[in-house]
Amino acid sequence: MIPMVDLQRQYHEMREEIDRAIAEVLESTRFILGPNVQALESELAEYLGVTHAVTCASGTDALHLALRAADLGPGDEIITTAFTFIATAEAIRYVGAEPVFVDIDPRTFNLDPDAVAAAITPRTRAIIPVHLFGQPADMPSLSRIAEDHHLLLIEDCAQSFGAHVDGVQTGSASAFGCFSFFPSKNLGAYGDGGLITTNCAPAAERLLKLRNHGSKVRYHHDEIGYNSRLDEIQAAILRVKLKRIDAFNAGRRRAAARYAEAFSGLDLEIPHEDGIGLHVYHQYTILTDHRDAIMAALQEAEIAHAIYYPIPLHQQAAFQNREKPPPSLPVTESIASRCLSLPVFPELEDAQIDSIGDCVRAALS
Ligand SMILES: *Cc1c(COP(=O)(O)O)cnc(C)c1O
């Protein structure tokens, strides 16, 4: 059996350090907004190259809090992708704004900058690219569009921790970067967690309040906020894992390179690295016209696999609008019908990848 991710194996390799970190928090009985959260936030800011890193309870909350801090709301249009996890657009709806879904690049699955430019209206206020599957979106082009039209750029970095464009980390060169520490993400906690990055001091102040009931000074509430804090146990675990993130991402890239060899000559498209930035392979996703046959063979061989994402957001019931039919997004729809994600994690062995290669080869022959 080959799983999509092997968190148990990773835990066993760090067990002593993780167990000690957790035990120290238990012993201290400081569970909320204590020294580990504070230290983690400086370490994250340093790693990502930003002036402010504000942790929160989840990646979904990171997006929600960023949109609140940007004062986006009813009447505002926010351009984003439909080929993503629902949270990206859910957060837009939380603040009462309107997600405007546009098509993607068929090679990277990320927002197509031309489609973004074509969708701008007088009501457009922001663009939310997602660095899907760990590959940076075309930030140079999107930044230019955002600047030309005075739009906010907010990055969904839930899948891209450690990915960068010429050394510029995802989440560091826009108004806000929104990260998730969901356990299976490249930098994952042992529960839920999230992070917002910004280089704007007043925005960071606002986020610190929003995550803690609109309060900076205890029992003084400047606005309605949320209970959205990362807890000390998760922060302590993340500090142990942050030290290893480059090695984790290198392991994912090694696995992707091995897949490329194992799949050479086969009738399928392996992930394209278009040179925009460093891909950190949160997912290893192929395109195939023979998905059912490959899935049946993988199933038979007990090799985990998944379709991310089978139904793009513009076709989800939650986003249907009585006044307006859903847009037609031909590239998104085609990719959703042909994509297949395979196991990828730092500890995945070459022999396992070769056996996945053999299984797919047999299915296609
Ligand atoms: C995981 C994910 C989120 C949400 O993160 P949570 O921590 O699960 O709330 C948002 N966007 C994308 C693209 C994701 O993959």
Side-chain angles (χ1 to χ4, degrees), residues 1-2 294-305 355-356 359-360:
M1 161 82 207
I2 305 178
I294 294 176
M295 286 173 64
L298 292 170
Q299 182 75 27
E300 178 70 28
E302 299 194 318
I303 296 165
H305 51 279
S355 74
I356 297 169
C359 178
V360 171

Side-chain angles (χ1 to χ4, degrees), residues 37-266:
V37 165
Q38 196 161 18
L40 175 67
E41 288 179 343
S42 346
E43 289 157 10
L44 288 166
E46 160 97 32
Y47 181 89
L48 295 168
V50 294
T51 53
H52 302 277
V54 178
T55 55
C56 63
S58 71
T60 306
D61 277 6
L63 289 157
H64 184 192
L65 297 180
L67 294 174
R68 280 284 317 265
D71 287 319
L72 294 169
D76 298 334
E77 290 177 357
I78 301 178
I79 299 172
T80 192
T81 168
F83 195 55
T84 178
F85 182 58
I86 189 168
T88 314
E90 233 175 358
I92 296 173
R93 280 288 178 80
Y94 290 163
V95 299
E98 195 58 37
V100 174
F101 297 116
V102 304
D103 222 342
I104 54 176
D105 179 310
R107 290 168 65 87
T108 62
F109 315 151
N110 282 324
L111 272 184
D112 172 356
D114 293 334
V116 170
I120 295 171
T121 76
R123 287 169 57 196
T124 309
R125 294 278 314 278
I127 308 169
I128 306 186
V130 179
H131 306 296
L132 198 75
F133 302 151
Q135 172 145 258
D138 184 354
M139 290 302 288
S141 301
L142 294 172
S143 302
R144 222 172 303 123
I145 294 169
E147 233 168 83
D148 288 351
H149 296 269
H150 308 287
L151 305 176
L152 274 177
L153 200 49
I154 298 172
E155 298 167 74
D156 183 336
C157 306
Q159 303 185 358
S160 70
F161 196 100
H164 57 82
V165 181
D166 294 330
V168 179
Q169 290 283 330
T170 60
S172 72
S174 62
F176 298 101
C178 304
F179 294 82
S180 164
F181 299 130
F182 186 81
S184 63
K185 299 289 160 90
N186 288 37
L187 179 61
Y190 291 164
D192 279 307
L195 165 73
I196 309 116
T197 53
T198 181
N199 290 308
C200 171
E205 279 292 297
R206 184 88 189 281
L207 289 167
L208 288 172
K209 279 194 220 169
L210 285 169
R211 77 167 176 195
N212 195 25
H213 301 288
S215 164
K216 190 174 176 202
V217 178
R218 188 175 284 192
Y219 304 126
H220 293 250
H221 305 277
D222 302 335
E223 64 177 315
I224 296 297
Y226 306 90
N227 176 346
S228 182
R229 302 166 303 227
L230 184 73
D231 70 70
E232 282 285 300
I233 291 179
Q234 299 307 331
I237 291 163
L238 286 165
R239 292 183 69 197
V240 173
K241 293 183 78 174
L242 178 60
K243 289 189 278 185
R244 293 165 168 82
I245 187 64
D246 288 340
F248 289 159
N249 283 338
R252 290 173 177 273
R253 289 185 53 77
R254 176 201 48 79
R258 187 78 180 195
Y259 266 124
E261 282 173 40
F263 289 156
S264 78
L266 294 187

